Amino acid sequence: MKVWKIRQYLPALLLYIQRRLEGGRGFLVAVRTRDVCGVDRRCGWAVHWLMMSLVEKGLARRFKKGTYIIERGAAEEVLTALREWI
């Protein structure tokens, strides 16, 4: 996938993660691709690519298809990593 297409959907993922962190409950944050993108397949693929790159860095875990888990302790590192890609 082209880099500019991924960067098109990156702000939506950042906003979603920031809003999920405001909740303050629990020590994990679940990132669901369907909640970020709806039924947009291009967005879903871009979010999958971004989240898998976070999984490779050890900042997130893949829970099941379309669902990723981020620990609240590593949330700031995740946000800074995503902001670097913008």
Side-chain angles (χ1 to χ4, degrees), residues 4-5 10 17-18 23-24 27 30 32 41 43-44 46-47 52 59 61 69 72-73 84:
W4 63 272
K5 286 186 180 182
L10 187 56
I17 292 174
Q18 287 173 347
F27 65 98
R32 293 181 184 90
R41 295 179 73 197
C43 176
V47 169
M52 288 307 290
L59 298 174
R61 285 183 285 173
I69 294 177
R72 286 196 187 268
E84 287 175 4

Side-chain angles (χ1 to χ4, degrees), residues 64-80:
K64 61 182 183 178
K65 183 179 178 182
T67 305
Y68 304 91
I69 294 177
I70 300 171
E71 292 182 10
R72 286 196 187 268
E76 291 302 321
E77 295 175 35
V78 168
L79 292 175
T80 56

